[in-house]
């Protein structure tokens, strides 16, 4: 007997899934390669078929209704399952593992350590994917995530390390803090400029007047602050894992003082049912052991 299926608007489900992820009909249409009017038509058709209002318009923005949120959650899992099943069926390379991570973690920690991983795991096709904050944690983006986001429902999580800011400077400033030097703040907001250094001074029982010389030198990212340090522009507080590789090469020096905890942590997140897949498990094990080795090596 021929199997019969109930009528389903699969294209409508696909369009709605994209709209739910972007909260934008325009962005969803661009992702799917269709016009905005075609996407809107599919949404109306799906809403009529289901007899439910799925999205609400609030000026130029949209939001999901309760029914829309329930459908979005269901479709997220369903599409993930379809993609995994299709990949397994048609023989897509299952040795490929996609690792999503922040730019600072990628360039400051992962890239310098990557040769160690590839040497020990030459058969794993590891692909790095940059994410912004807050990231979209889903199988459609990556298989493994390193982020500071709270653990998502349905995901297994393990901690790599907490974020600590350490003072660093170019080698010519090795004797810094014996006299004031220019200080670099990783925030351009006038209200927040220098707050990191104020926390450092308080933690270490120091006076700001004994640390800073001249005006603040500001930037909007730790990676920019580190480049300013390398250019000899002063001292900066940066996450210790970013400073580790440059310290090892003698390009920057660690200045005295206890590190400042930011309250952020870097955690691995993997979908619960995928945590024991061999290649994912190997990557997670290596990440954890590499993090421990770095902590032991640099003593932060």
């Amino acid at each position: 007997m021929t199997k019969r299926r109930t009528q389903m608007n699969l294209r409508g489900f696909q369009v709605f899934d994209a709209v739910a992820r972007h909260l934008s009909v325009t962005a969803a249409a661009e992702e799917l390669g269709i016009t905005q009017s075609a996407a809107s038509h599919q949404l109306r058709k799906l809403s009529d078929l289901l007899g439910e209002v799925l999205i609400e318009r609030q000026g130029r923005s949209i939001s999901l209704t309760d029914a829309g949120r329930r459908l979005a959650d269901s479709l997220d899992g369903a599409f993930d399952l379809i993609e995994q099943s299709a990949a397994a069926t048609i023989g897509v390379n299952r040795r490929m593992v996609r690792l999503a991570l922040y730019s600072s973690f990628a360039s400051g920690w992962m890239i310098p350590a990557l040769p160690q991983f590839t040497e020990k795991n030459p058969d794993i096709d590891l692909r790095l994917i940059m994410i912004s904050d807050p990231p979209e944690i889903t199988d459609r983006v990556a298989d493994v995530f390193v982020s500071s986001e709270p653990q998502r429902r349905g995901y297994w999580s393990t901690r790599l390390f907490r974020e600590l800011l350490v003072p660093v400077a170019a080698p010519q400033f090795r004797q810094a803090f014996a006299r004031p030097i220019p200080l670099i703040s990783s925030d351009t907001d006038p209200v927040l400029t220098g707050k990191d250094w104020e926390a450092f001074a308080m933690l270490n029982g120091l006076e700001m007047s004994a640390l800073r010389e001249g005006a603040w030198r500001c930037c909007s990212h730790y990676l920019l602050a580190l480049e300013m340090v390398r250019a000899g522009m002063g001292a900066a507080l940066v996450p210790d894992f970013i400073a580790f590789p440059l310290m090892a090469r003698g390009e920057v020096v660690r200045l005295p003082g206890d590190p400042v905890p930011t309250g952020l942590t870097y955690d691995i997140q993997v979908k619960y049912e995928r945590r024991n897949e061999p290649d994912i498990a190997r990557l997670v094990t290596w990440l954890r052991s590499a993090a421990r080795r770095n902590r032991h090596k640099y003593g932060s």
Side-chain angles (χ1 to χ4, degrees):
M1 180 180 294
T2 303
K3 182 181 291 186
R4 294 184 180 275
R5 298 192 187 276
T6 57
Q7 183 181 5
M8 292 187 293
N9 180 8
L10 295 179
R11 187 56 164 169
F13 286 137
Q14 185 184 29
V15 170
F16 176 74
D17 170 71
V19 170
R21 285 186 282 108
H22 293 288
L23 288 180
S24 166
V25 176
T26 301
E30 290 177 355
E31 176 184 310
L32 298 173
I34 61 177
T35 64
Q36 184 175 344
S37 61
S40 297
H41 173 72
Q42 289 292 343
L43 288 175
R44 289 193 298 271
K45 187 176 177 181
L46 180 63
S47 183
D48 290 343
L49 177 65
L50 299 177
E52 294 281 356
V53 177
L54 301 175
I55 64 173
E56 295 176 327
R57 296 193 177 275
Q58 302 169 336
R60 292 189 173 183
S61 62
I62 64 173
S63 62
L64 303 182
T65 64
D66 289 341
R69 281 190 290 271
R70 291 194 300 270
L71 179 60
D73 289 342
S74 297
L75 289 177
D76 185 54
F79 280 129
D80 285 347
L81 182 60
I82 290 171
E83 288 177 352
Q84 292 168 25
S85 298
T89 301
I90 65 177
V92 171
N93 179 16
R94 296 304 293 172
R95 306 311 303 272
M96 181 182 74
V97 179
R98 300 165 300 161
L99 174 62
L101 60 180
Y102 298 133
S103 58
S104 55
F105 184 86
S107 60
W109 192 91
M110 188 67 199
I111 298 298
L114 192 56
Q116 303 167 18
F117 178 81
T118 54
E119 181 180 355
K120 292 184 178 181
N121 302 277
D123 53 334
I124 296 180
D125 177 8
L126 182 64
R127 304 194 176 188
L128 305 184
I129 298 171
M130 204 80 76
I131 53 175
S132 56
D133 192 17
E136 181 187 4
I137 298 180
T138 171
D139 266 357
R140 282 191 301 278
V141 174
D143 308 300
V144 181
F145 292 81
V146 175
S147 77
S148 300
E149 284 294 292
Q151 183 176 349
R152 182 180 170 182
R153 187 178 62 182
Y155 276 71
W156 172 85
S157 179
T158 185
R159 181 148 300 167
L160 281 181
F161 47 76
R162 60 179 182 149
E163 186 174 80
L164 298 172
L165 302 183
V166 295
V168 294
Q172 63 264 33
F173 290 117
R174 191 179 302 274
Q175 302 303 318
F177 299 166
R179 59 181 178 81
I181 64 170
L183 297 183
I184 301 164
S185 178
S186 299
D187 207 306
T188 57
D189 186 333
V191 176
L192 299 176
T193 297
K195 293 296 183 183
D196 48 356
W197 280 106
E198 291 175 10
F200 174 80
M202 182 177 297
L203 180 66
N204 288 277
L206 302 170
E207 295 292 332
M208 285 297 299
S209 59
L211 296 177
R212 181 165 69 98
E213 174 188 74
W216 287 107
R217 297 178 176 179
C218 303
C219 59
S220 61
H221 199 286
Y222 290 131
L223 293 178
L224 296 178
L226 198 52
E227 289 305 308
M228 293 170 72
V229 165
R230 295 174 68 191
M233 296 181 64
L237 286 162
V238 299
D240 54 2
F241 67 84
I242 296 180
F244 285 164
L246 275 72
M247 290 162 54
R249 297 195 297 267
E251 296 180 30
V252 303
V253 295
R254 165 88 149 79
L255 300 179
D258 292 335
V260 179
T262 65
L264 292 177
T265 60
Y266 288 82
D267 303 318
I268 300 171
Q269 289 200 48
V270 181
K271 216 161 203 179
Y272 195 82
E273 66 266 22
R274 301 192 62 197
R275 71 194 187 284
N276 291 324
E277 289 183 14
D279 292 335
I280 288 178
R282 286 165 66 184
L283 174 60
V284 170
T285 298
W286 178 83
L287 285 168
R288 297 178 69 183
S289 63
R292 287 193 297 269
R293 285 195 302 271
N294 270 356
R295 291 291 165 187
H296 177 74
K297 180 178 180 180
Y298 293 97
S300 292

